[in-house]
Every structure is written in structure tokens, then in C-alpha cells.
């Protein structure tokens, strides 16, 4: 097959600007071959190089005594004591999921699982954060069903519990849904594996499934906006096989136990190209690959296709040569491909040979270190206009609107399609705040949550970024877990637009400030830009995944409210209604500023919850829908009515931060009041539990009626 000529159109189709192509010419001193152009395109696209975001990502806090490995590897690693660590990361598969919902979501799950077990960890938990367009949009139903089936289809077959997540709907996602996948695993701290190659003339080994044409150019596609040619991009979506991935997991962990691994890297975005370049660059070595030895499942594949394929369930390893037979036997046992496809070299070269011909010969370090880095122009997001008058509303009518909205109803229809009990260590299942998984064979447990409120970030990126971290912190504290660290998935529109770049910069500033104040460093993450269709961007959506530790499972707060319990509110209520769920669902408004986040109060109040867990029956943080929705959720979980003594709209539905709602017995409520006084924490009695009715002020409704709407809305809308 004759390669296409390198024309301006071909260069543009590879996502390279004219200035970037000039840099390519300067680096190699000649016109690149078609394969070389593809390699530069893969390494220099936004998805792989972070060229628009690197400057700002460097400002995030990534260190702490608990951090073993921060950003830069396949996943972050945090110490949990006793010689064990938790390995976790969140990544996006947005563009593929919009084009092909099932496979896009499924391979997003597969990719994040590989990121975890590539480090030597056995996956123990998964989550997902999903953002879709308005419910009435003609594509939303198909996307919701396809994505949920894809997440469940891959995770269930692989055998990892999906224990949490979030789902939202907003017109801004009509042309570009978001699928953010999170995975966490356990490893021994003395058995962690990294990706940096070492040693000259060491075998480079291809592991796993065969290479096909699926996913060719996927990373470049993920670094561009959508337009009316979207259907042409369908071949760039990868196809996953969870059963192969399960075998790859077991084979990889067995291989690591054999001592044969020098370094190992998942073949994710940009496939063989990115994995080989990253391994060589981190180790200060060159790599020579012979593509004739790459296992393929399609005839006549070109060097370009093999280097840019994103076929799933594949790894690349640098092997100790004296253990080749041992390593090969392991992969033969698991019926997976094992092929020596190259070697490490002392020279700073990335050499690709196919059919006896050199298809690429490039300076390897320049592919990574010389990737463009932009300081994009940005403008600060204007201060939001003051919130106009919000009329009083019957609190039960407003609550009824919230619990029957797809944005705030139960996600039972979603999480019942996920196996959240596989492996037998799930302690708290989806739908009850943070998910909790026991550390197998111990009395410890890990809590996981995913949070962001995009409308806050749009109105005020700094406060919205803070709030995403703060809400994740509260969700962990509400189950009694000590927050350890975070991962981020930063989803934004076109960074070449100064207002979008301003949203990104503001959110990074807010996230960084909150992570420092709450001692939850960012240890891994992903940036997804160009989430736009025909020039219309998504809401800025910097998703925060957070992990917390329970030193003993008995420290878990997971009780339910009981008849006669007192309801206590932790924190100060100022009645902030700007950008609230009430405005959106009842008044169809999205105005005002985001709520201010007092990070000192967040830390103080979170520590109060954890330090006084023995007095707490049930606990939830307050976020969307404020006190009214939190009280209903406690009532629904308990199957018992509640009465709130408050009646005014701002107090009931305001979304002030740093707040929790506690249900506990009268005598324990008194003990909490004393403890709050000593800790300088605001604690007030706001109601009681009992009966079978929700009473707020002078208005009431049967709990059964509201619970029915809450539990059936999602299935009625999408099933």
C-alpha cells in the first residue's frame, strides 16, 4: 500500500497546526513519513500531551506523607498502612461514548482497570460519572441506555464491583455526553510496578489481545470538536472484550509475581506508540520495534495502523531476558499473546521496522519532551449577577418536583444493572452516599465518591472547583472515612476560546486551594478538552474522585434514622439559592452566584463528624436541594417520616456548604450538642423522625407517595 502524500489537508486531519508541523520538520530535518506523521499526531494531540493544560496542572498539590506515587504514572498510589496501598485514577471516554455508547463506555471501564492493574494492584472498586443532555433530546435515551449497558456489561463480566457514581442531565451536554470512569485497586507497597524502561538490549514484549484496526486515531479524535462529520469517526471507537481483560489481569499479576517484569505500561490512548514512547522516555532510552512480530487479527495492516490502533486489552513490557520462558509460559496458560516485538537501545531513537523497511526513525525523547506546550490566553469569568427575587414556594410542592426530576431521583435503575457485590467485600452499596469496600482479609475499609456541580463551576469557576473537592470530602466524612487523596477528570470545552480557558484556570485554582486546605492531594487524573459540538461547549465539569480510609470497619457511619430520632444540622445556613436545584427544577432558572466555600469550616465540621461517630445514627452531607432533599433522603432510606420545624424557602432549599444532617436519639443529640460547643461547630435541632408523612412547615405529603416518585422516575423515563 502506498502511503498518502503529506499535504496541508493530511496534516490538518492529524490535528497538527502549521506551526506544529514546522516544529516536526525542525526536529527531524526532513519531511516525515506517513507513519511518522501519525506518531507525532498521536503524541502531540491534546489527549496525550496535555499541551493546553500542563502549565496549570503543575500548580496542583500532589504531595503528602500518604502519597507514594503522584501524577505521571498510569495511576496514583496512596499508603493505607500495614504495607498496603490503594491505587486509583479517573479518566474520560467522552467522545467515543457519544459516537458508540455501549463500546465507548465499556472500553472506558476497561482502560481505567488496566491503568490500575498495570501498577501491580488488583482492582477492588469502580465508579462512573455520567453527564447527558436534556431528557427530551432525541439522542438522550439511546445514550443513557447504551452507556449504562456498556459500563455494566464490561464491569460485571470482568468482576469488579461498581459502588458509586453520579448521573446528571443538562442541555449543554446534548451534543457531547461525558463518561468519566474511575477504578481503584489494592497492592502491597513493596510490589508496585512502574513504566520506566531500564537496561540496554532488554526485550520489549507485547502482551494480551491481538491488534486490529479498531480505534485507529482515537486519541486524535478525542482532541477535536464534533461537527456534522461525527458519524465518520465511528471506526475510531475501540471494541472491548471484558473476558480477555480478566485473563489479562490474572496473567499480568502472575507475571509480576514471577519477577520477570522490569517495567510495564498499558496500551491505552495512541496504543503501541504512546506506550513505547513513554516507557523509553521515562527510562532515558530508545526503543526499536519490529512490527512483523506484532500479533494482528486483520490481514494487511500497515505500520501506520499498527502504531495508532487502540485495540483493547493490550500491554507493553520490558522483560528480564533470563525469565522469558517463565513469562511466556504464564501467558500461554492464560491463552493470551506474548510476543517479543523489539528491544531497548542506548540511542535516543524510536525506530519502527515493518516488512524489512524502516517506517519511522525519530528522536524518542523529542516526541514527549518537545510536545507543544501552550500558555493559552484566558479571561476571568465575570462575577455573577446578584440573584433576583425568589418567591416563597410550598415546600412539599418543591420537594415533589425535586424527587421526581431525573436529576435528583433515585439512580436505582442505573446501579441495579451493575454488580456491586462481586468479590464479597462491598459494605456500602450505590445510592447511600460514598461507596465502601472492605480491604480483604482485614478490618480496614476504603470509601469512594465522585462529585462536581457543573452549574456552580460555570457561574464561578474558583468556588465551583473548591465545592467539587469539598463535597467529595463531605461524602467521605459522612460515612466516617478519613479523606486521603483525590483524582480529577477535568472536562471542558475548546481551550482556544479565552472564556473556556478562563473557566479551566479558575477551576484549577479552586481545586488546588481546596486540596491543600483539606489535605487531599491530587495523585492522578485526566484532562478532556474540546468537548464541543458545532461550537457549543459543555458545562465546565471538573469531576473529583476521592478516596478515604476507615481504620476499622466499626468506625463506619451507616445507620438509618429511627422513629423518635432527632434531626441535627451541622453548619451555618445562610439560605444561598444561587445556581440551586430549586431554581433549576422549580423555576427553570440558572442564575446567581455559586455558594461560597469556607474551607476552614469544611475541615472543622468534617472532623467533628468523624470524631463523634459513636453518637451518630444516620448522616448525610447537604448539597443539591439543601436541607429539604437531605431530610427526604434520610426518611426514604429509613422508611420513616420526618418533620422539619423550618418553613422558609431559603433555609429549606439553600445550598450553603460545609453542612451535614444527622439523625440520632435524644440523649445522643445532647452529647453531640456538648461536643459541638467544645469544637466550635454550629449544631442545631431542625426536626424529628417519626410517622409515615413528610411534614415541612404547614405542608405535608405521605412518604410513600414521594418515595414512589423518587424510585420510579428514572426507570419510567429511560427503561
Amino acid at each position: 500500500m502506498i502511503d498518502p502524500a503529506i499535504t496541508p489537508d493530511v496534516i490538518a486531519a492529524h490535528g497538527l497546526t502549521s506551526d506544529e508541523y514546522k516544529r516536526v520538520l525542525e526536529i527531524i530535518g526532513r519531511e516525515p513519513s506517513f507513519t511518522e506523521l501519525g506518531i507525532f499526531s498521536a503524541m502531540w494531540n491534546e489527549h496525550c500531551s496535555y499541551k493546553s493544560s500542563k502549565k496549570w496542572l503543575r500548580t496542583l498539590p500532589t504531595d503528602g506523607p500518604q502519597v507514594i506515587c503522584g501524577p505521571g504514572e498510569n495511576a496514583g498510589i496512596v499508603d493505607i498502612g500495614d504495607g498496603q496501598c490503594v491505587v486509583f485514577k479517573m479518566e474520560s471516554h467522552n467522545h467515543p461514548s457519544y459516537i458508540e455508547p455501549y463500546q465507548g463506555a465499556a472500553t472506558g471501564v476497561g482502560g481505567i482497570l488496566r491503568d490500575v492493574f498495570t501498577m501491580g494492584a488488583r482492582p477492588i472498586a469502580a465508579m462512573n460519572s455520567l453527564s447527558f443532555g436534556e431528557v427530551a433530546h432525541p439522542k438522550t435515551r439511546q445514550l443513557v441506555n447504551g452507556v449504562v449497558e456498556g459500563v455494566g456489561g464490561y464491569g460485571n463480566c470482568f468482576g469488579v464491583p461498581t459502588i458509586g457514581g453520579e448521573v446528571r442531565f443538562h442541555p449543554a451536554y446534548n451534543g457531547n455526553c461525558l463518561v468519566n470512569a474511575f477504578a481503584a485497586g489494592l497492592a502491597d507497597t513493596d510490589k508496585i510496578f512502574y513504566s520506566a524502561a531500564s537496561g540496554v538490549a532488554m526485550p520489549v514484549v507485547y502482551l494480551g489481545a491481538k491488534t486490529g484496526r479498531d480505534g485507529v486515531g482515537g486519541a486524535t479524535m478525542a482532541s477535536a470538536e464534533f461537527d456534522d462529520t461525527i458519524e465518520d469517526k465511528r471506526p475510531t471507537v475501540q471494541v472491548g472484550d471484558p473476558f480477555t481483560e480478566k485473563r489479562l489481569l490474572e496473567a499480568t499479576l502472575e507475571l509480576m509475581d514471577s519477577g520477570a517484569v522490569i517495567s510495564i505500561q498499558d496500551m491505552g490512548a495512541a496504543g503501541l506508540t504512546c506506550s513505547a514512547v513513554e516507557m523509553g522516555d521515562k527510562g532515558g532510552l530508545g526503543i526499536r520495534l519490529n512490527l512483523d512480530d506484532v500479533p494482528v487479527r486483520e490481514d494487511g495492516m500497515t505500520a501506520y495502523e499498527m502504531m495508532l490502533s487502540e485495540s483493547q486489552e493490550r500491554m507493553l513490557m520490558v522483560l528480564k531476558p533470563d525469565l522469558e520462558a517463565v513469562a511466556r509460559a504464564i501467558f500461554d496458560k492464560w491463552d493470551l499473546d506474548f510476543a517479543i516485538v523489539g528491544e531497548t537501545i542506548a540511542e535516543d531513537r524510536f525506530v519502527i521496522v515493518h516488512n524489512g523497511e524502516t517506517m519511522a526513525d525519530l528522536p524518542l525523547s523529542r516526541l514527549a519532551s518537545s510536545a507543544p506546550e501552550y500558555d493559552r490566553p484566558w479571561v476571568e469569568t465575570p462575577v455573577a449577577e446578584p440573584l433576583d427575587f425568589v418567591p416563597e414556594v410550598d415546600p412539599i410542592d418543591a420537594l415533589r418536583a425535586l424527587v421526581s426530576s431525573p436529576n435528583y431521583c433515585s439512580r436505582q435503575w442505573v446501579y441495579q444493572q451493575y454488580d456491586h457485590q462481586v468479590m464479597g467485600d462491598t459494605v456500602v452499596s450505590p445510592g447511600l452516599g460514598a461507596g465502601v469496600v472492605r480491604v480483604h482479609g482485614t478490618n480496614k475499609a476504603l470509601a469512594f465518591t465522585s462529585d462536581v456541580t457543573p452549574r456552580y463551576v460555570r457561574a464561578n469557576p474558583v468556588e465551583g472547583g473548591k465545592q467539587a473537592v469539598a463535597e467529595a470530602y463531605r461524602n467521605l466524612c459522612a460515612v466516617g472515612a478519613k479523606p486521603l487523596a483525590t483524582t480529577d477528570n477535568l472536562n471542558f470545552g475548546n481551550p482556544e476560546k479565552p472564556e473556556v480557558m478562563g473557566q479551566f484556570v479558575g477551576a484549577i485554582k479552586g481545586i488546588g486551594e481546596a486540596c491543600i486546605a483539606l489535605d487531599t492531594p491530587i495523585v492522578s487524573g485526566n484532562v478532556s478538552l474540546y468537548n464541543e459540538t458545532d461550537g457549543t461547549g459543555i458545562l465546565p465539569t471538573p469531576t473529583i474522585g476521592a478516596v478515604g480510609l476507615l481504620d476499622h470497619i466499626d468506625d463506619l457511619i451507616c445507620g438509618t434514622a429511627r422513629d423518635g430520632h432527632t434531626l441535627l444540622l451541622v453548619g451555618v445556613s445562610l439560605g444561598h439559592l444561587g445556581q440551586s436545584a430549586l431554581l433549576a427544577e422549580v423555576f427553570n432558572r440558572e442564575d446567581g452566584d455559586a455558594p461560597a466555600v469556607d474551607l476552614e469550616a469544611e475541615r472543622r465540621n468534617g472532623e467533628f463528624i468523624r470524631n463523634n461517630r459513636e453518637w451518630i445514627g444516620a448522616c448525610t452531607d447537604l448539597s443539591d436541594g439543601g436541607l429539604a432533599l437531605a431530610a427526604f433522603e434520610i426518611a426514604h432510606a429509613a422508611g420513616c417520616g420526618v418533620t422539619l420545624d423550618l418553613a422558609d424557602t431559603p433555609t429549606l432549599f439553600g445550598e450553603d456548604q460545609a453542612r451535614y444532617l444527622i439523625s440520632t436519639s435524644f440523649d445522643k443529640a445532647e452529647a453531640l450538642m456538648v461536643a459541638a460547643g467544645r469544637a466550635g461547630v454550629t449544631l442545631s435541632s431542625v426536626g424529628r423522625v417519626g410517622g409515615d408523612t413528610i411534614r415541612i412547615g404547614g405542608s405535608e405529603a405521605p412518604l410513600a407517595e414521594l418515595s414512589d416518585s423518587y424510585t420510579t422516575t428514572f426507570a419510567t423515563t429511560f427503561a
Side-chain angles (χ1 to χ4, degrees):
M1 182 182 294
I2 299 174
D3 286 339
I6 308 299
T7 65
D9 287 345
V10 168
I11 294 165
H14 281 75
L16 294 171
T17 67
S18 58
D19 286 341
E20 288 169 349
Y21 184 67
K22 288 177 184 176
R23 184 179 297 195
V24 170
L25 297 179
E26 292 170 359
I27 289 172
I28 64 176
R30 56 177 171 78
E31 183 179 272
S33 69
F34 187 59
T35 299
E36 290 173 331
L37 182 70
I39 290 171
F40 272 105
S41 169
M43 292 304 302
W44 286 12
N45 66 61
E46 195 74 58
H47 191 75
C48 293
S49 73
Y50 296 93
K51 57 190 176 185
S52 296
S53 57
K54 280 189 287 193
K55 170 183 175 177
W56 298 102
L57 295 177
R58 293 190 190 104
T59 68
L60 289 171
T62 58
D63 297 321
Q66 71 273 42
V67 177
I68 295 174
C69 176
E73 278 291 340
N74 288 291
I77 307 177
V78 174
D79 195 340
I80 61 170
D82 305 310
Q84 293 179 299
C85 56
V86 58
V87 180
F88 63 97
K89 188 182 183 183
M90 181 175 275
E91 275 207 343
S92 61
H93 232 221
N94 304 336
H95 284 45
S97 298
Y98 189 81
I99 298 169
E100 184 60 61
Y102 183 95
Q103 290 296 348
T107 52
V109 173
I112 200 65
L113 289 169
R114 285 195 306 282
D115 280 337
V116 166
F117 70 76
T118 301
M119 305 290 292
R122 179 174 291 278
I124 61 164
M127 295 190 298
N128 51 82
S129 177
L130 312 176
S131 304
F132 300 104
E134 58 191 325
V135 173
H137 190 273
K139 196 171 175 69
T140 298
R141 183 187 175 96
Q142 174 209 356
L143 287 172
V144 170
N145 278 274
V147 166
V148 170
E149 288 175 13
V151 169
Y154 205 101
N156 295 352
C157 294
F158 178 85
V160 62
T162 300
I163 48 85
E166 52 186 345
V167 186
R168 68 180 55 85
F169 299 90
H170 191 279
Y173 305 104
N174 280 348
N176 200 129
C177 66
L178 302 183
V179 175
N180 294 173
F182 170 99
L186 283 174
D188 293 335
T189 55
D190 60 351
K191 295 179 181 177
I192 299 169
F193 289 82
Y194 296 99
S195 59
S198 64
V200 176
M202 295 293 109
V204 175
V205 183
Y206 175 112
L207 306 169
K210 289 178 168 53
T211 294
R213 290 188 171 93
D214 57 311
V216 172
T220 300
M221 177 272 293
S223 303
E225 294 183 26
F226 282 154
D227 53 28
D228 57 8
T229 66
I230 184 173
E231 286 302 315
D232 298 340
K233 299 177 174 67
R234 192 170 296 275
T236 65
V237 178
Q238 308 90 337
V239 177
D241 179 354
F243 298 107
T244 298
E245 178 115 331
K246 175 63 173 175
R247 287 184 286 123
L248 181 60
L249 162 70
E250 301 299 342
T252 300
L253 295 182
E254 188 174 339
L255 179 71
M256 290 168 169
D257 285 340
S258 75
V261 178
I262 294 176
S263 62
I264 191 164
Q265 175 75 34
D266 163 45
M267 282 195 222
L272 190 55
T273 290
C274 195
S275 58
V277 170
E278 288 186 358
M279 290 177 77
D281 185 57
K282 290 175 183 176
L285 295 168
I287 300 274
R288 180 184 289 111
L289 297 179
N290 184 354
L291 300 187
D292 298 344
D293 297 322
V294 171
V296 295
R297 63 170 181 260
E298 299 184 50
D299 294 333
M301 289 192 70
T302 65
Y304 177 95
E305 291 171 328
M306 281 191 269
M307 293 305 297
L308 271 66
S309 168
E310 293 182 11
S311 294
Q312 297 294 285
E313 295 87 41
R314 302 181 301 159
M315 317 273 271
L316 198 65
M317 171 183 70
V318 177
L319 170 74
K320 293 179 181 177
D322 56 323
L323 292 176
E324 177 188 340
V326 172
R328 187 182 295 276
I330 292 170
F331 273 73
D332 286 346
K333 181 181 80 172
W334 288 99
D335 193 24
L336 293 165
D337 280 296
F338 177 101
I340 296 177
V341 296
E343 64 176 350
T344 59
I345 58 178
E347 298 81 14
D348 179 24
R349 307 301 300 174
F350 189 41
V351 181
I352 309 299
V353 177
H354 188 221
N355 295 329
E357 182 181 351
T358 299
M359 306 302 294
D361 186 353
L362 301 169
L364 186 145
S365 65
R366 303 296 296 277
L367 289 168
S369 62
S370 293
E373 181 174 340
Y374 295 120
D375 185 2
R376 300 279 191 196
W378 61 279
V379 295
E380 193 168 324
T381 301
V383 176
E385 293 290 330
L387 183 65
D388 289 338
F389 171 73
V390 178
E392 288 290 325
V393 61
D394 181 277
I396 292 295
D397 288 344
L399 182 59
R400 188 177 284 115
L402 292 179
V403 301
S404 62
S405 160
N407 272 311
Y408 302 109
C409 69
S410 169
R411 273 74 176 107
Q412 178 177 304
W413 180 85
V414 175
Y415 60 70
Q416 284 188 342
Q417 298 184 53
Y418 305 152
D419 188 342
H420 44 81
Q421 293 295 339
V422 64
M423 301 179 74
D425 283 314
T426 302
V427 180
V428 177
S429 300
L432 297 171
V436 180
V437 173
R438 185 191 301 270
V439 177
H440 191 74
T442 76
N443 288 316
K444 294 184 297 186
L446 289 164
F448 304 97
T449 187
S450 169
D451 295 285
V452 66
T453 308
R455 63 182 184 276
Y456 290 172
V457 186
R458 180 183 59 184
N460 189 327
V462 175
E463 292 301 315
K466 286 185 198 175
Q467 193 275 338
V469 176
E471 186 174 347
Y473 180 88
R474 291 199 302 274
N475 277 334
L476 297 177
C477 291
V479 296
K482 179 182 179 182
L484 290 179
T486 50
T487 181
D488 59 17
N489 203 147
L490 307 174
N491 308 272
F492 289 81
N494 185 342
E496 297 169 46
K497 297 179 178 178
E499 63 274 16
V500 172
M501 197 65 204
Q503 292 174 338
F504 182 86
V505 171
I508 287 282
K509 290 180 177 180
I511 290 168
E513 185 178 342
C515 287
I516 290 171
L518 302 177
D519 192 22
T520 54
I522 298 280
V523 298
S524 59
N526 172 245
V527 178
S528 176
L529 302 177
Y530 295 97
N531 288 290
E532 298 201 1
T533 298
D534 294 328
T536 300
I538 61 164
L539 292 180
T541 312
T543 310
I544 297 295
V547 177
L549 176 66
L550 290 142
D551 289 324
H552 198 285
I553 197 65
D554 291 346
D555 293 335
L556 178 66
I557 302 171
C558 66
T560 56
R562 295 181 181 178
D563 193 0
H565 269 195
T566 296
L567 292 177
L568 300 176
L569 178 63
V570 176
V572 177
S573 297
L574 300 174
H576 184 93
L577 288 175
Q579 299 297 328
S580 65
L582 177 79
L583 283 186
E585 301 295 339
V586 176
F587 297 104
N588 196 28
R589 290 169 52 182
E590 295 185 2
D591 52 333
D593 200 355
V597 180
D598 182 338
L599 294 170
E600 183 179 341
E602 292 284 3
R603 182 155 190 158
R604 180 176 62 249
N605 294 354
E607 289 174 349
F608 172 77
I609 295 292
R610 300 200 309 272
N611 292 338
N612 295 279
R613 66 190 87 207
E614 69 270 22
W615 307 113
I616 296 173
C619 181
T620 183
D621 82 301
L622 268 64
S623 53
D624 298 78
L627 174 61
L629 188 54
F632 166 78
E633 289 173 347
I634 279 184
H636 172 76
C640 195
V642 299
T643 298
L644 292 179
D645 298 326
L646 309 170
D648 64 289
T649 297
T651 304
L652 289 169
F653 295 95
E655 296 181 5
D656 303 291
Q657 301 297 293
R659 297 187 300 160
Y660 301 80
L661 186 61
I662 294 170
S663 173
T664 193
S665 62
F666 182 78
D667 56 333
K668 291 180 179 178
E670 287 190 330
L672 283 168
M673 287 286 189
V674 173
R678 291 172 179 165
V681 168
T682 300
L683 185 66
S684 53
S685 175
V686 293
R688 58 209 153 274
V689 179
D692 56 7
T693 301
I694 303 292
R695 293 186 177 87
I696 308 177
S699 188
E700 64 180 61
L703 172 64
E705 173 206 325
L706 296 173
S707 288
D708 183 64
S709 293
Y710 183 68
T711 55
T712 62
T713 291
F714 211 102
T716 301
T717 305
F718 296 108

